[in-house]
Each structure stands twice: as structure tokens, then as C-alpha cells.
Amino acid sequence: MAVTGRAPDDAAAASTRSPRSRDLISFALGAVLGLMLARSAPAQTPAYDLVLRNGRIVDGTGSPWHRADLAIRGDTIVHIAPSIPDRATRVIDVGGRVITPGFIDVHTHAGRGIFDVPTADNYVRQGVTTVMEGGDGSSPVPIGPFLVRLEALPKSLNMGTFVGQGSVRVAVVGEANRPPTADELEKMRALVEQSMKDGAFGLSSGLFYVPGVFTPLDELIELAKVAGRLGGHHNSHIRDEASRVVESVQEIIAIGERGGLPTQVSHHKVIGQANWGRSTETLRLIDEARARGVDVTIDQYPYTASSTGITSALLPTWSLEGGFERILQRLRDPQTRAQIKSEVVAFIRTERGGGDPKNVVVAYCHWDDSLGGKNLGEIARLRGMQPNIDNAAEVALWITERGGCRGVFHAMSEEDLERIMRHPATMIASDGEIPMGIGFPKAGVPHPRSYGTFARVLAVYVRERAILTLEDAVRKMSSLPARRLGLQDRGLLRPGMKADIAVFDPARVRDAATYDKPHQYAEGFSHVIVNGKIVFEGGAMTAARPGKVVYGPAKAAPVP
Ligand SMILES: [Zn+2]
């Protein structure tokens, strides 16, 4: 078909022109032909809305790529074949780039930023088309009103949520360190059930945080059972990712095994040099559990630094009970303060502090923008102290007294990271958020994972280090998370699936966000498509807002 002088994108439009009209010499002939043309008009309407030509299809299953065209009608993939010559409203020649399912990020805190930045540029520009809110035990409760608000929001990507065990417990028991009464347990069960029926994908827990840290295993199992009965799974920020990482993974397996539902270790990692290497043990436990029929899976981000609140990371949990005022009271009592400080020193020396004040970096403080990007040693100096571990602990207490800051903690090994990434049950998830955007003055210096996770896996762990094949990396970003969520119509390139698609150049894809300069978008993606609509193209977000709320099994396909 002649497409001379036109960009490949416009090939289909060119092919619709008919040169025959100039051959008509009589009115009668013209009328007859006009009738014929009118009759054949239905056949002339483009067969497809969008065809991607000339792609390397990585379909999400892990199968080797194959060269093909892909056709979309409405919000659905309708055809994939070596050649799709039919006319389409729009044709894009992707020139041999890789076409994959849009990536599904099962662990984000995107609920914070989606209402400010509904284009979620940081995610879309690395190929992410669906994000899940509500991890780490923290979600809106009840989730119904949140999902109603999210439905009303025009947005670029799809979003769903879990219900958080911690938030459920706060709503019923508060932040107290005590078991619930029978009545309270019943109320918590009812809240989980309601949230599942409202569309949650399962129950998340954050056993490292207040009040997850106060929640005994049996109580967790009782709530997990409710989510499981309604088709959901459990996922968890485990109790301890450092010296007790093995026992903590065992607990997540126990929740799945005794609760009778799939279970997942969120952002699996091993913190603290003394514990490095113990992923061998945690992965063995997971393999053994899977072998006896427990459906346990893992998610992970590709960085050796973590990020969370400095207070929750570095202060002992007993000192955090009862809310901010109670914490301040404890810090005012010299003896209690000394006790807390000695434990903070230990956490900096051997656990999340990475053994050195420079390994704890402030991401942002709502009460002092200037601290973003400075490490505990630098802040100690600013406060007239030597940058040693003892003074870094003082700085952590000072930060706590002022209301806390988020931090970035460099305390993991590359070896554990790669071992966990290679595990077949590991999927990729950012644990990130939607930042206020590039150029926003109060954006701080957050962990780069929000901008770079998926691109970094493709650039560093596929292309540079060959830890994963491209096909397996894509599987970990698409079909594996889709299966875990029970999303039946996303996560694969197949006719009938929703047209959530990423197109990128595997030789150029890379994460640009660094620890020092995190506010930088990933590179190498040429097109991102959500529900059949192009949301990113030519280096910019488009005006389309096709993102949908996705619903968990009890709402998407309720058992009659
Ligand atoms: Zn977490």
C-alpha cells in the first residue's frame, strides 16, 4: 500500500483515499457507483481504532518475544498477528521497539498524590498503568467513600486499593497496645468484610508500624480469613526486616497457611549488615511453603536503600505507643529518654541506620524544607555536634520531637536484592508515591523508587547485569501482579484483554532518578496506553484521562 510522503503514523489514513472518482464520466454511472460506495461504507470504517505495527511483543507470560502488530478497538486488544494490514483510525509504527502489557504496581502509596497529580507522570512515564493503594496496613477506612472520590477523578492510570489492618485497628481499638475485646474483633471483621465488598483486593498489614506491631498473629489470621473468604489475599510489611527477618517471613507464611488465603511479603529485603545473606533462608522458607501448597509470593523494589519515617525506623516500638503526645512525654523523662536513645544507637549501628550516620538521609520534613537531602551526620554538625552515631541518635530524637521526617536508609546488600529478584514468585512493586511534581518547591529529596523502579529493573537488572531476562522482568511487572490481584482482564497482551500497554526501547530505557536528584522521569518509553487511549507520547503526557478504578474480587465478580 502506497504511503509515500507520509509518516508511518498516518499510513492508515492514506490508504482510505480512493482515486476512482476521477474516472467517472456520466451522471448515471456516478449515481450507481455512489450507491455501491454507500453500500460498502460499513466495510470502509476502520477495522481498528489503533494499530501498533512492527513491535517486539513481550506478552507478559515470560515467553520469548515475537515480532507482531497489535490492534486495539475501544479499550480492548482485539488482534495480535505478524501483520495487521487492515485500516485503522490511527497506526503507529513502533519501529521494532518492545510492546509489553502496562505494568501493574501492587504496592504504592499513590493515594496521597493522585488527587494532586491525577496524571501520575512519575508512574506512567515508566510504563505503569495500574497502581494499588492501601499497602503496609494503611488505607482509608471504610474504603467506599475513597473509591467514590477516585471514580469521580479524571486520571491517567488505573487504581485500586487494599484495606489496611492497621487502619481498621485504629478505627476500632485506637493505637493502644492491647488485644481487642470480642466485640472489637467482631467490629474489625465487619469493617474488613465491608471494605472487601466495596472493592478492596485484600487485607494489607504493616506489622512494623503502630498499631500493626501490637497485633498478635491470631488476630491477624481472623481478619485475613474474612478477606480470603471474599477472594482477597493478604500482603504485609513484615514485623522486622532486620535481625528477625526470618521469623517475620514465617509469620506471613503462617497467616496464609492458617488463614487459608494467598499471602505476600511486601518489599522483601534484608536490613543491616549483620543480617545480609539471610534471604537464602527466607526464600527457602517460601519455597518450602509453596511446595506444601501455601500460595506465598513476594514483591520488591530494585534499590539497596529503603524509605520510611525516621521515627518509626529508628525508635523502639514500645516508645511509640499511644500517639505523639505520649512519645513526647517519654522523651521529656531523662531516664526514659536515655533508654530510648540507647536503642536508637543500636538501630543505627546494626540495623536500618546502616552503621553510619551518613546512611540515614532525610527525605523531607514538613517543618523544615532545608533538611531534605541531609544525612544525620550533617544535621548533627549543623547542630554543633560531632557526626558520630551517638549524636546521630540525638538528631533522630530531635526530629521526632518536631513531628518527624521521612528518611532514606542505606542498609541493604546488592546480593540479597538480586537473589530475591531472581525468585520466580517475586514481582516488582515500587512502594512509591505520586510526588507533587518536578519543579514543586516543597518536593524534598524522596527515595527515587517512585520515579525509577520499573525502568531501573529493565535497565540495570535486565540490560546491564542480566539478572533477569527481559521477558521474565516483564512477567514480574504484569501477569504475575495481575494474577495475584485476581485481575482477569489485565497483565497480558492477548485479544480480549484491556489495552493497557507500554512501548519502550530496551537499549535506551533507564531510570534517571538518583538518591541525590530523585525528581527525574524515567527514559526510553515512547508510548503508554491505558484502556486503549494513549496517555504518554512524544515525551509528554496527553490530555486523555482514561484511568479506571479497578475493583477486587468481591465487587468485580461477587459470589451470588
Ligand atoms: Zn512498607
Side-chain angles (χ1 to χ4, degrees), residues 212-233:
V213 70
F214 304 140
T215 309
L217 176 59
D218 286 339
E219 178 185 332
L220 288 164
I221 291 171
E222 282 311 302
L223 296 188
K225 278 179 184 168
V226 178
R229 184 162 48 76
L230 291 162
H233 76 281

Side-chain angles (χ1 to χ4, degrees), residues 107 109 136 209 237 267 431:
H107 188 104
H109 303 282
D136 296 334
Y209 299 107
H237 180 143
H267 45 61
D431 195 13

Side-chain angles (χ1 to χ4, degrees), residues 438 444-449 451-452 512-521:
I438 287 172
V445 189
H447 195 296
R449 62 196 182 188
Y451 288 93
T514 62
Y515 292 111
D516 292 335
K517 288 198 165 67
H519 294 285
Q520 302 192 74
Y521 297 126

Side-chain angles (χ1 to χ4, degrees), residues 94-391:
V94 303
R97 289 192 196 92
V98 165
I99 303 179
T100 69
F103 304 143
I104 298 172
D105 190 336
V106 293
H107 188 104
T108 81
H109 303 282
R112 291 174 196 155
I114 190 72
F115 293 98
D116 295 318
V117 187
T119 45
D121 308 33
N122 62 304
Y123 279 119
V124 169
R125 285 166 179 259
Q126 50 177 323
V128 176
T129 54
T130 301
V131 292
M132 296 300 301
E133 164 62 19
D136 296 334
S138 173
S139 75
V141 168
I143 66 162
F146 168 75
L147 292 176
V148 168
R149 242 184 107 208
L150 196 58
E151 278 280 3
L153 178 77
K155 53 202 165 295
S156 295
L157 44 52
N158 307 310
M159 189 161 167
T161 189
F162 304 107
V163 56
Q165 177 269 332
S167 301
V168 167
R169 202 178 207 267
V170 166
V172 176
V173 183
E175 295 194 350
N177 182 7
R178 64 165 175 84
T181 65
D183 182 51
E184 286 169 337
L185 184 61
E186 207 39 60
K187 280 194 180 124
M188 290 194 286
R189 274 204 200 93
L191 267 178
V192 173
E193 180 168 341
Q194 187 55 52
S195 298
M196 289 300 296
K197 288 177 175 167
D198 286 343
F201 281 84
L203 180 74
S204 81
S205 60
L207 307 180
F208 174 71
Y209 299 107
V210 172
V213 70
F214 304 140
T215 309
L217 176 59
D218 286 339
E219 178 185 332
L220 288 164
I221 291 171
E222 282 311 302
L223 296 188
K225 278 179 184 168
V226 178
R229 184 162 48 76
L230 291 162
H233 76 281
H234 164 257
N235 59 70
S236 186
H237 180 143
I238 65 179
R239 235 175 255 281
D240 185 342
E241 296 174 315
S243 60
R244 293 178 53 81
V245 65
V246 173
E247 297 89 322
S248 299
V249 166
Q250 268 166 339
E251 183 178 39
I252 303 315
I253 295 169
I255 292 170
E257 191 153 28
R258 291 173 50 199
L261 81 171
T263 190
Q264 176 150 323
V265 179
S266 297
H267 45 61
H268 190 26
K269 61 175 83 78
V270 178
I271 286 176
Q273 197 164 356
N275 308 307
W276 288 357
R278 296 184 77 183
S279 58
T280 310
E281 233 172 309
T282 61
L283 296 179
R284 183 179 51 76
L285 285 171
I286 286 168
D287 285 335
E288 286 171 3
R290 292 192 62 83
R292 64 178 186 268
V294 188
D295 180 356
V296 49
T297 46
I298 302 162
D299 65 71
Q300 181 196 34
Y301 51 79
Y303 295 90
T304 53
S306 60
S307 179
T308 189
I310 284 180
T311 298
S312 48
L314 297 183
L315 270 69
T317 49
W318 62 263
S319 73
L320 305 179
E321 192 195 349
F324 187 51
E325 280 309 316
R326 287 286 294 120
I327 297 170
L328 289 184
Q329 269 174 28
R330 292 185 189 104
L331 288 175
R332 277 196 292 266
D333 177 74
Q335 235 180 325
T336 317
R337 186 186 180 91
Q339 177 61 34
I340 294 172
K341 185 176 164 183
S342 74
E343 296 196 35
V344 174
V345 166
F347 283 134
I348 295 176
R349 187 160 283 140
T350 61
E351 297 206 351
R352 211 177 280 255
D356 190 317
K358 76 171 164 30
N359 286 333
V360 178
V361 184
V362 168
Y364 43 82
C365 300
H366 62 88
W367 45 273
D368 186 350
D369 296 334
S370 75
L371 294 180
K374 295 193 169 69
N375 67 52
L376 292 188
E378 290 167 327
I379 299 172
R381 264 216 187 87
L382 283 176
R383 299 188 45 71
M385 298 183 285
Q386 285 300 308
N388 56 36
I389 289 184
D390 200 63
N391 291 333

